[in-house]
Amino acid sequence: MTKTNSGRFFEDYRLGEVIDHAVPRTVSGGERALYHMLYPARHALHSSDAFAQDCGLPNSPMDDLIAFHIVFGKSVPDISLNAVANLGYAECRWLLPVWPGDTIRSTSEVIGLKQNSNGKSGVVYVRTTGTNQNGETVMQFVRWVMVRKGNLDAPAPETVIPDLAKVVEVADLAIPDGLSFENYDFTLAGELHRYGDYKVGEIIDHVDGVTIEEAEHMMATRLWQNTAKVHFDVTSRPDGNRLIYGGHVISMARALTFNGLANAQMMVAINGGAHANPCFSGDTVRAWSEVLDTAPTSAPGVGAIRLRLVATKGGEVGTLKAEDGKYLPHVLLDLDYWALIPI
């Protein structure tokens, strides 16, 4: 009897299957410190207990993307161990803050399958849910991933592509209990720009760049317990390169937005996202954002801002796709998300 896990292949997934992922993870202040070491993350709400308490929270919650990486990482051994690439996201919502001491686990449901025309791989769509030690859902997202076939002769499943919402509605954004920006300290936050200072269509160049290092990427994927072979094993890709985990690019780009969007304190939803081109060690990641929408919320002094975050490895700010609709080669990430910002 085989006791090791070589990972699932495309033909091993069944529509409607629910997979409980192994090894719950208890988080601590260590994750916060390591996160801030790996990325230039400086948003005040995730950095200071005192600042968070002035905003109505009991303490500073874990960075939103820490929760994302942990929930995502738990799913990798069952969903994307034999992945070619993670392709995109939709219907992502943070529903409860994650606090130091919380224990996070993940479950995924297969909601779509589509074999590729080459017959060598297929796309698996899953809805992944992260819960805490109380059984409460802390976040949920849909992602789709290209997975190799283990048996090229395995029959193709019926194609099912889920109908996914293009945007998470403002009314469906989950705002943490007690959050208020009425006593918000703009000096401590690092910038004066508030909700009304941002206009739909405005493009913000975040100016700074960070060169991706192999060692930091390896540390990050190990921190999130992401075991996808393409991130570790140079024999997993024909070009012999280790693919940089897409979430590493998301965190790097989000951290870079501090310069220009320091007051966009919390990510509360991802409407959609695509890893447009692969990222490798040595690439220098830069970022720009486009304001897509703004809306008030029911929380005191809290507004919502919808942003398109684009990570690149060069190229002109504001350029995204060619005339044929395909992403330009310098574009790494195209992410559409909602954040909370003081009014």
Side-chain angles (χ1 to χ4, degrees), residues 158-287:
E158 178 185 356
T159 296
V160 175
I161 299 176
D163 184 17
L164 301 171
K166 289 185 171 27
V167 180
V168 176
E169 298 298 329
V170 175
D172 293 328
L173 300 179
I175 300 175
D177 288 344
L179 184 69
S180 169
F181 287 157
E182 289 186 316
N183 296 318
Y184 192 92
D185 191 322
F186 287 87
T187 300
L188 294 181
E191 286 181 351
L192 298 178
H193 314 305
R194 61 176 73 212
Y195 176 87
D197 295 324
Y198 295 94
K199 306 303 178 187
V200 173
E202 178 180 1
I203 291 179
I204 304 157
D205 180 0
H206 299 298
V207 180
D208 307 307
V210 175
T211 301
I212 298 292
E213 301 288 348
E214 193 80 78
E216 291 174 353
H217 164 249
M218 297 291 283
M219 288 173 61
T221 46
R222 286 170 178 156
L223 176 63
W224 313 128
Q225 298 176 326
N226 183 333
T227 56
K229 296 173 185 177
V230 290
H231 302 321
F232 292 97
D233 184 350
V234 295
T235 68
S236 293
R237 289 176 52 91
D239 60 10
N241 288 319
R242 282 183 287 228
L243 182 69
I244 300 298
Y245 163 45
H248 193 68
V249 177
I250 292 174
S251 276
M252 192 65 74
R254 161 67 175 163
L256 291 172
T257 67
F258 183 88
N259 191 350
L261 283 165
N263 294 315
Q265 289 288 351
M266 300 188 77
M267 296 180 73
V268 285
I270 294 175
N271 301 303
H275 296 291
N277 286 290
C279 181
F280 300 107
S281 175
D283 288 342
T284 297
V285 175
R286 302 184 184 278

Side-chain angles (χ1 to χ4, degrees), residues 13-305:
Y13 295 94
R14 300 292 178 267
L15 193 68
E17 179 182 11
V18 176
I19 305 167
D20 289 321
H21 305 303
V23 193
R25 172 81 172 264
T26 301
V27 298
S28 70
E31 274 82 1
R32 187 200 309 278
L34 287 169
Y35 188 87
H36 288 195
M37 179 195 73
L38 290 165
Y39 312 106
R42 292 178 285 162
H43 288 87
L45 198 71
H46 295 304
S47 299
S48 165
D49 285 345
F51 188 94
Q53 288 160 3
D54 286 343
C55 294
L57 300 180
N59 286 297
S60 175
M62 305 296 282
D63 287 70
D64 310 305
L65 287 170
I66 289 179
F68 174 82
H69 291 311
I70 291 173
V71 173
F72 184 106
K74 296 292 96 188
S75 73
V76 167
D78 297 310
I79 304 300
S80 45
L81 195 65
N82 291 308
V84 178
N86 192 59
L87 299 178
Y89 311 93
E91 297 184 0
C92 172
R93 291 194 300 152
W94 283 265
L95 298 169
L96 286 175
V98 172
W99 309 98
D102 280 351
T103 297
I104 307 302
R105 60 172 298 182
S106 301
T107 302
S108 294
E109 179 185 2
V110 179
I111 60 172
L113 294 167
K114 179 183 181 297
Q115 181 165 300
N116 291 328
S117 57
N118 63 12
K120 298 179 180 179
S121 62
V123 179
V124 181
Y125 296 79
V126 295
R127 187 182 304 276
T128 298
T129 301
T131 56
N132 63 20
Q133 67 277 8
N134 301 316
E136 301 165 318
T137 299
V138 298
M139 78 172 308
Q140 187 176 76
F141 57 85
V142 173
R143 70 171 173 127
W144 46 104
V145 57
M146 189 185 302
V147 181
R148 296 180 179 86
K149 290 187 72 173
N151 175 10
L152 298 184
D153 296 326
E158 178 185 356
T159 296
V160 175
I161 299 176
D163 184 17
L164 301 171
K166 289 185 171 27
V167 180
V168 176
E169 298 298 329
V170 175
D172 293 328
L173 300 179
I175 300 175
D177 288 344
L179 184 69
S180 169
F181 287 157
E182 289 186 316
N183 296 318
Y184 192 92
D185 191 322
F186 287 87
T187 300
L188 294 181
E191 286 181 351
L192 298 178
H193 314 305
R194 61 176 73 212
Y195 176 87
D197 295 324
Y198 295 94
K199 306 303 178 187
V200 173
E202 178 180 1
I203 291 179
I204 304 157
D205 180 0
H206 299 298
V207 180
D208 307 307
V210 175
T211 301
I212 298 292
E213 301 288 348
E214 193 80 78
E216 291 174 353
H217 164 249
M218 297 291 283
M219 288 173 61
T221 46
R222 286 170 178 156
L223 176 63
W224 313 128
Q225 298 176 326
N226 183 333
T227 56
K229 296 173 185 177
V230 290
H231 302 321
F232 292 97
D233 184 350
V234 295
T235 68
S236 293
R237 289 176 52 91
D239 60 10
N241 288 319
R242 282 183 287 228
L243 182 69
I244 300 298
Y245 163 45
H248 193 68
V249 177
I250 292 174
S251 276
M252 192 65 74
R254 161 67 175 163
L256 291 172
T257 67
F258 183 88
N259 191 350
L261 283 165
N263 294 315
Q265 289 288 351
M266 300 188 77
M267 296 180 73
V268 285
I270 294 175
N271 301 303
H275 296 291
N277 286 290
C279 181
F280 300 107
S281 175
D283 288 342
T284 297
V285 175
R286 302 184 184 278
W288 55 268
S289 294
E290 179 184 2
V291 180
L292 300 179
D293 199 2
T294 59
T297 76
S298 58
V302 179
I305 184 168

